[in-house]
Amino acid sequence: MKWKLTNRFLMTIMTIIFIVIIVNLVLLVGLLYWQSNKSTTNDSVNDEVFTRDFKQYISTEQNVPNVNDAGLSLLTAHNAWIQILDSNGTVVTSYFAPSEAPSHYRPIDIVQHYKYQEYDTGTTVYVSNKDDFSYLIGIFNPDVSRYTLSLNGSSIINVTSKYVLYIIIVDLIIALFAGLMFGSILTKPLYVMIDSIQQLKNRNFHLQKVKRPGIYKQVFTNLQDVSSELEKQENEHKKLEQMRNEWISNISHDMKTPLASIQGYAELLNDADVSDVERKEYAEVIERKSVYMRELIDDFNLTMKLRQHKLPLQLTEVRIEKLLRDLVINVLNDPQFTMSHVHFESTASELVLTVDEHLMQRAITNFLMNALIHNPGDTQVTVALTEVDRRVMIEIRDNGRGMSQEDVENVFERYYRGSNTTNVRGTGLGTAIARDIIIAHGGEVSIESEIGNGTTVKIRI
């Protein structure tokens, strides 16, 4: 896998280098062509045109050529001089010519002066004719130079092709070493990335930290975040699985006890010697145990539906103060809690909520019953209703024994029993169901508690 990535990267680099070379050659040819075209429009060509057109300023009087005033002005403007020759090459007329200019030219001299710069640097000589006369115009222009170049076509092609081949070979070698170097730099983090993903697949969440992630920094950051999140979920899953196993164990034990009672008392009912009073007592025990088992199964089904959001809410408008007041009264009317100290406070008497009244009663009753059942009989419990920031706030406060921080963190977990619930009957789902009911209504619930200083349940909707 490592070499596959490296080879692919090298092929990419070498392809790019090769394309760059081809493009460079095309650009070079294009520039040369453009330069050759440009040279046809430079000052040199302008001076050639000036020389050919200058014949219009030459006139002949008594077989002697002369330059008129307009021509002289142009010569001055172009920083130029002129020599007019007869058919024998003898200078018959001259204007502004340098002192070293000859007075007679052989044909070879004219060619020599035209091809090469024979005068001071910057002066170029051009040749033209008018009737039977020839003339030389020398123009001083440092930007113009004339060079003679001898070329052998076959030799140029051979040399050029040879050097182009050398350049391509050298460039490919450079590309190979550059590709190996940069490929190693860029692909090394990829190997770590692949190993990290493999570790996550194998549920190993302690990933290797990369010292120089380079351009992959964001990728490794995301991998670390994913690893942390997966580790957290894995721990929560193990914790939930442990709780579920414990709950199944407890629920199995709780089911066995009433089933054993039901079976035992059913056998006693078949005994002919059992009196009617005893028979009635046995039937009541069987009924009570059956009700407990039904409640256990109902709670299990309810918590599963709430967990999967498959429980439809029967929403109605409810005056929340009346709901809470009736709830407190019903609890105090229970013979078990007749002597309990429960107080009700409200500052939102007309507040109306759209809720499932039955489920909301069950949720709040659960928190209130917990405050009464898990605390001494003289515990003071307060149910308070207020409106804070346009949200309903329901608080259930007590000054009982309180809970440890571990219990507070886990009290809403399904199948969890707190350290202060030993030998207390129940399915272990009540608090989780109450929390899910509040959430299903778009609310939230939190618990604050400290051992020895009581507990406060806060419900916000």
Side-chain angles (χ1 to χ4, degrees):
M1 184 66 182
K2 294 181 179 180
W3 280 111
K4 184 177 180 180
L5 288 173
T6 303
N7 291 338
R8 182 173 296 180
F9 180 78
L10 284 176
M11 289 300 297
T12 302
I13 292 296
M14 294 180 69
T15 302
I16 292 174
I17 295 297
F18 183 76
I19 293 174
V20 169
I21 293 173
I22 298 300
V23 171
N24 286 338
L25 289 175
V26 172
L27 287 176
L28 178 61
V29 172
L31 286 173
L32 291 175
Y33 178 76
W34 174 76
Q35 186 67 29
S36 64
N37 287 339
K38 182 182 177 182
S39 65
T40 62
T41 59
N42 59 16
D43 291 342
S44 175
V45 172
N46 291 336
D47 291 343
E48 289 275 7
V49 173
F50 171 77
T51 301
R52 289 196 302 269
D53 293 343
F54 194 79
K55 64 181 63 177
Q56 62 183 308
Y57 303 104
I58 301 175
S59 60
T60 304
E61 295 179 2
Q62 297 180 357
N63 206 28
V64 176
N66 295 293
V67 176
N68 59 28
D69 294 339
L72 294 176
S73 298
L74 285 176
L75 290 174
T76 303
H78 281 73
N79 200 14
W81 53 263
I82 186 171
Q83 286 182 310
I84 302 175
L85 287 62
D86 61 16
S87 58
N88 296 321
T90 302
V91 177
V92 294
T93 305
S94 177
Y95 298 93
F96 314 123
S99 58
E100 65 270 23
S103 58
H104 180 77
Y105 290 87
R106 295 172 299 171
I108 189 60
D109 294 331
I110 296 175
V111 173
Q112 190 78 4
H113 280 78
Y114 180 77
K115 291 183 61 177
Y116 308 104
Q117 284 182 279
E118 296 289 332
Y119 300 103
D120 57 311
T121 303
T123 298
T124 305
V125 177
Y126 302 91
V127 178
S128 187
N129 69 292
K130 171 68 180 289
D131 298 331
D132 294 331
F133 298 95
S134 301
Y135 59 89
L136 284 72
I137 293 180
I139 300 176
F140 177 77
N141 189 345
D143 295 331
V144 176
S145 297
R146 183 180 288 131
Y147 299 94
T148 301
L149 181 63
S150 299
L151 299 176
N152 184 320
S154 300
S155 176
I156 291 174
I157 294 175
N158 293 334
V159 172
T160 302
S161 60
K162 181 176 67 173
Y163 281 108
V164 167
L165 180 62
Y166 289 160
I167 291 173
I168 292 176
I169 293 174
V170 170
D171 285 347
L172 290 177
I173 293 174
I174 293 174
L176 180 63
F177 282 102
L180 285 172
M181 181 178 65
F182 289 104
S184 175
I185 294 173
L186 293 177
T187 57
K188 185 176 180 181
L190 288 177
Y191 307 147
V192 179
M193 194 184 308
I194 294 171
D195 292 339
S196 299
I197 295 174
Q198 186 66 37
Q199 290 182 41
L200 292 178
K201 179 182 177 182
N202 296 331
R203 313 184 79 82
N204 179 9
F205 306 113
H206 301 285
L207 301 182
Q208 174 186 353
K209 291 186 177 180
V210 182
K211 296 181 179 179
R212 297 179 179 178
I215 61 175
Y216 306 107
K217 181 178 180 180
Q218 189 64 37
V219 176
F220 283 105
T221 300
N222 291 336
L223 275 177
Q224 291 290 343
D225 293 342
V226 169
S227 174
S228 300
E229 185 64 26
L230 288 177
E231 184 177 16
K232 180 180 177 182
Q233 293 181 6
E234 180 75 6
N235 293 335
E236 290 179 353
H237 176 75
K238 290 180 180 179
K239 184 178 179 181
L240 183 62
E241 189 66 27
Q242 182 181 358
M243 289 183 182
R244 184 181 289 109
N245 292 335
E246 292 176 356
W247 179 82
I248 292 175
S249 177
N250 292 334
I251 207 72
S252 299
H253 179 269
D254 290 345
M255 292 288 282
K256 287 179 181 178
T257 302
L259 281 173
S261 298
I262 291 172
Q263 182 179 3
Y265 284 109
E267 291 174 356
L268 290 175
L269 287 175
N270 292 325
D271 192 340
D273 297 331
V274 176
S275 64
D276 291 340
V277 175
E278 291 175 325
R279 193 180 302 277
K280 181 179 179 181
E281 180 181 348
Y282 297 159
E284 289 177 352
V285 172
I286 291 174
E287 181 183 8
R288 188 166 59 251
K289 298 297 183 180
S290 300
V291 169
Y292 171 76
M293 292 176 62
R294 187 185 66 221
E295 291 177 349
L296 192 64
I297 295 173
D298 288 344
D299 280 357
F300 179 78
N301 290 334
L302 179 59
T303 187
M304 290 297 103
K305 288 181 179 179
L306 287 169
R307 181 75 176 194
Q308 299 175 6
H309 306 288
K310 293 183 178 179
L311 181 66
L313 299 179
Q314 305 299 322
L315 300 176
T316 57
E317 290 188 351
V318 177
R319 193 159 65 89
I320 197 68
E321 182 187 81
K322 183 178 183 304
L323 183 146
L324 293 177
R325 192 183 299 277
D326 292 345
L327 187 150
V328 171
I329 293 173
N330 291 336
V331 170
L332 291 176
N333 286 336
D334 189 325
Q336 183 181 356
F337 304 111
T338 301
M339 304 305 295
S340 299
H341 305 283
V342 182
H343 309 281
F344 179 69
E345 300 174 356
S346 174
T347 60
S349 59
E350 302 300 325
L351 193 60
V352 175
L353 286 180
T354 303
V355 297
D356 187 315
E357 185 173 2
H358 173 71
L359 290 179
M360 187 60 66
Q361 283 180 342
R362 173 166 183 166
I364 299 174
T365 300
N366 176 270
F367 293 122
L368 179 56
M369 297 287 282
N370 284 341
L372 296 174
I373 293 173
H374 303 307
N375 285 308
D378 60 347
T379 300
Q380 301 289 327
V381 179
T382 300
V383 178
L385 171 65
T386 57
E387 184 177 5
V388 180
D389 296 331
R390 302 178 66 181
R391 301 187 71 186
V392 174
M393 169 74 80
I394 302 173
E395 292 189 7
I396 303 172
R397 303 188 294 265
D398 68 68
N399 61 350
R401 59 171 61 99
M403 295 185 292
S404 67
Q405 187 61 32
E406 180 182 358
D407 287 343
V408 171
E409 292 175 357
N410 295 285
V411 69
F412 290 122
E413 297 292 338
R414 293 168 173 79
Y415 331 121
Y416 183 81
R417 291 178 181 269
S419 58
N420 61 349
T421 60
T422 306
N423 296 326
V424 175
R425 297 178 60 182
T427 63
L429 298 172
T431 306
I433 290 175
R435 187 271 311 272
D436 290 343
I437 290 173
I438 300 300
I439 293 176
H441 284 83
E444 56 186 33
V445 59
S446 61
I447 293 181
E448 299 174 359
S449 185
E450 185 178 349
I451 294 179
N453 292 323
T455 302
T456 300
V457 178
K458 294 182 179 181
I459 301 172
R460 300 176 183 84
I461 303 178

